[in-house]
Amino acid sequence: MPRHGNSRRNETQPSYEEDYDNELLWIYLALENAAAEQHVPRNIPCRTSTLQGRHYIEEVLANDTRCFENFRMNPHVFHNLCDTLRANCGIRNTWKGTTVEEMVDMFLMFVAHSTRLSVVVERFQHSKETVSRLIKVIVRGIHSLSPTYIRRRNVDVQPEIQRCRKWYPFFKNCIGAIDGTHVAATVPSSVRGAYRDRNNEITQNVLAACSHDMMFIHVVTGWEGSAHDSRILSDAATLQTFPAPYGVDAGYPNILGYMAPYKEQRYHRSDFNDDTPLTTEKELFNQRHAFVRNVIERCFGVLKSRFAILRSM
């Protein structure tokens, strides 16, 4: 009988495994309650500033100085660009109310000041995905307009050359100047070595031609920073859209349609700053050639000064 009674008592008392399972259950319940009490809300709107992007644009466009400092162009140029993108590229306001002017302003702030994306996001109170997508829309639109604005000047003789007695008639057939410049680039690590220039920086070598009114008439982009200028010119000269003749510097070959200076002679403007007089006809030609071709250097200087992203990607 006692044995039978002990068996019944063992059946009614909980086992060790049951106690352990109960303890785990209470632990899980306690953790769940603690998590509920310390719940951190997600997806809280953070772009809630009262000064939205469209209000900022209206304020800046009302002042010519602020407009040029922020957008790097005058108000009437800004409005003409927006109207052109609407008419020729089909860019419209988004269904959420973002205007074309706001898209263009985001793009200009990004390229004119090399501004970080987070700064543009905070300024216009949009998400990073929205800002990045709209900037790409404007980039594609402006790229499609390049044949309209980057084209040869429709004159027989450059007026700037015709008015200068030192240049005319010696350079009367010159339609522009050509040179290369290095622009900061961001490329995959697998091809970074090819884009490293002689200064050990990651760049692309851009070949450009301009007329003497400081307007670009042809641009070749995408070449690696390690590519030589003469190689890029030789490849570009095979294109039907690349006209000649041009004035080129000493780094290019003297081939048909491209007039290079004399080798082993003084050429750059800094070489003629001293009181040493010109001694040969070749030096006289090089001096005037350098002054004619200097327009492309000024174009690069103005372009990089206006759009900081070309100096620091």
Side-chain angles (χ1 to χ4, degrees), residues 11-292:
E11 291 178 359
T12 58
Q13 291 180 355
S15 63
Y16 174 79
E17 290 80 4
E18 292 177 349
D19 291 341
Y20 181 73
D21 292 341
N22 290 334
E23 290 178 0
L24 287 179
L25 179 60
W26 284 108
I27 291 174
Y28 292 150
L29 292 175
L31 291 175
E32 185 176 354
N33 292 335
E37 293 177 357
Q38 299 179 1
H39 176 66
V40 178
R42 297 181 179 180
N43 299 326
I44 298 179
C46 58
R47 314 298 176 193
T48 57
S49 174
T50 56
L51 183 59
Q52 298 293 318
R54 58 181 179 273
H55 302 148
Y56 168 74
I57 295 175
E58 293 174 357
E59 180 181 318
V60 173
L61 288 176
N63 186 281
D64 292 353
T65 302
R66 291 185 61 188
C67 181
F68 190 85
E69 290 178 350
N70 287 272
F71 305 157
R72 309 305 295 162
M73 58 182 64
N74 293 320
H76 72 279
V77 179
F78 179 85
H79 288 300
N80 288 341
L81 176 59
C82 295
D83 294 340
T84 302
L85 291 172
R86 286 191 182 95
N88 297 351
C89 305
I91 299 178
R92 297 290 184 268
N93 300 345
T94 65
W95 65 276
K96 288 187 176 181
T98 305
T99 63
V100 176
E101 286 77 9
E102 193 171 351
M103 301 180 203
V104 174
D105 189 14
M106 287 188 287
F107 164 76
L108 291 176
M109 180 174 290
F110 193 73
V111 300
H113 306 283
S114 191
T115 308
R116 290 184 177 274
L117 183 63
S118 58
V119 178
V120 182
V121 166
E122 178 62 26
R123 172 70 277 176
F124 292 92
Q125 296 295 299
H126 294 300
S127 67
K128 290 185 178 180
E129 187 277 333
T130 300
V131 172
S132 178
R133 174 167 45 83
L134 295 180
I135 287 177
K136 290 179 181 179
V137 171
I138 300 300
V139 168
R140 297 188 186 100
I142 292 180
H143 182 266
S144 66
L145 295 174
S146 57
T148 305
Y149 295 99
I150 304 178
R151 59 182 180 179
R152 180 176 173 177
R153 197 177 185 184
N154 189 23
V155 293
D156 296 330
V157 180
Q158 299 288 316
E160 294 78 11
I161 293 180
Q162 195 170 14
R163 290 194 298 263
C164 183
R165 296 179 58 184
K166 293 183 178 180
W167 297 349
Y168 187 85
F170 315 107
F171 299 99
K172 65 178 182 179
N173 293 324
C174 180
I175 64 175
I178 189 172
D179 199 4
T181 185
H182 287 266
V183 175
T186 301
V187 297
S189 57
S190 57
V191 297
R192 192 167 296 172
Y195 284 84
R196 196 175 300 277
D197 60 11
R198 62 179 180 271
N199 296 323
N200 203 31
E201 297 178 353
I202 305 301
T203 62
Q204 61 171 312
N205 196 345
V206 178
L207 180 72
C210 72
S211 55
H212 286 82
D213 59 348
M214 296 186 66
M215 300 293 290
F216 286 102
I217 57 180
H218 198 90
V219 179
V220 179
T221 62
W223 279 86
E224 302 87 345
S226 60
H228 195 272
D229 293 344
S230 59
R231 179 187 174 191
I232 303 176
L233 176 61
S234 300
D235 181 79
T238 61
L239 303 175
Q240 294 182 355
T241 57
F242 197 73
Y246 287 106
V248 298
D249 66 7
Y252 295 96
N254 194 10
I255 59 179
L256 181 64
Y258 305 93
M259 183 181 296
Y262 286 103
K263 305 290 184 180
E264 300 179 356
Q265 301 288 332
R266 288 191 296 174
Y267 174 66
H268 295 286
R269 299 184 65 179
S270 58
D271 298 335
F272 300 100
N273 288 338
D274 55 11
D275 297 331
T276 305
L278 302 175
T279 57
T280 64
E281 295 178 351
K282 293 181 179 180
E283 283 192 354
L284 175 61
F285 174 84
N286 280 7
Q287 183 193 47
R288 296 185 178 182
H289 185 283
F291 277 88
V292 171

